[in-house]
Amino acid sequence: MKLFWFATLLIGAGNANALEFKSIGSVPAILYDAPSQKGVKVFVAPRGMPLEVIFTYGEWTKVRDASGDLSWIEAKSLSSKHTVVVTAANLKVRSSAEDGSAPVFIADKGLLLDLAEPVASGWVKVKHRDGLAGYVKTTEVWGD
């Protein structure tokens, strides 16, 4: 019986560590150093920018950006649409989740792509706003 409860705790702990990502909504949003509009404005985030959700406090959400900086944003500025940002230069977006598969297109570092499918075996399916889709390694993007 003790083993059952220990296993249950481990499973719950694993779920608690799952990262949650959201993106800036349809308009740019201000990131603050505190959960208040009276806080110092630290950055204006462009629409679609992915952010890791740390926690929510009332109408405010503490987030981490791709560079690792922490800040606060009004929760209403976030969208559940999931995007990723390319972190590798001249990233080959491939036709399948294999190193040797044909490139569909090349993505520049810093480009935002929509997450088309969840992560599987170290690869993620992404979609360009022009409609092209393909696979990239999870180590080549941030926000998954």
Side-chain angles (χ1 to χ4, degrees):
M1 188 60 131
K2 287 182 183 180
L3 181 60
F4 171 77
W5 289 112
F6 181 69
T8 303
L9 287 172
L10 285 178
I11 290 169
N15 291 341
N17 293 330
L19 300 178
E20 178 185 3
F21 288 92
K22 292 192 175 186
S23 299
I24 300 296
S26 60
V27 295
I30 300 170
L31 300 177
Y32 296 87
D33 71 342
S36 168
Q37 288 184 347
K38 294 179 181 178
V40 175
K41 297 174 184 176
V42 293
F43 184 71
V44 177
R47 62 188 168 122
M49 178 179 159
L51 295 167
E52 178 188 352
V53 173
I54 306 302
F55 65 90
T56 299
Y57 177 72
E59 297 176 1
W60 290 86
T61 301
K62 189 169 193 172
V63 294
R64 178 179 292 123
D65 63 24
S67 64
D69 293 333
L70 295 171
S71 54
W72 290 89
I73 186 169
E74 290 183 270
K76 66 182 181 183
S77 299
L78 294 171
S79 167
S80 59
K81 183 176 181 180
H82 199 141
T83 60
V84 295
V85 62
V86 175
T87 58
N90 300 315
L91 175 62
K92 292 179 182 176
V93 180
R94 301 191 175 275
S95 58
S96 64
E98 298 174 344
D99 282 319
S101 65
V104 177
F105 65 96
I106 305 294
D108 291 331
K109 187 174 184 176
L111 180 69
L112 292 175
L113 299 169
D114 291 337
L115 184 71
E117 292 177 9
V119 176
S121 301
W123 291 82
V124 63
K125 186 172 184 181
V126 295
K127 184 176 178 183
H128 190 277
R129 67 176 179 209
D130 293 340
L132 294 173
Y135 295 85
V136 297
K137 290 182 181 179
T138 57
T139 57
E140 300 169 323
V141 293
W142 186 87
D144 57 345

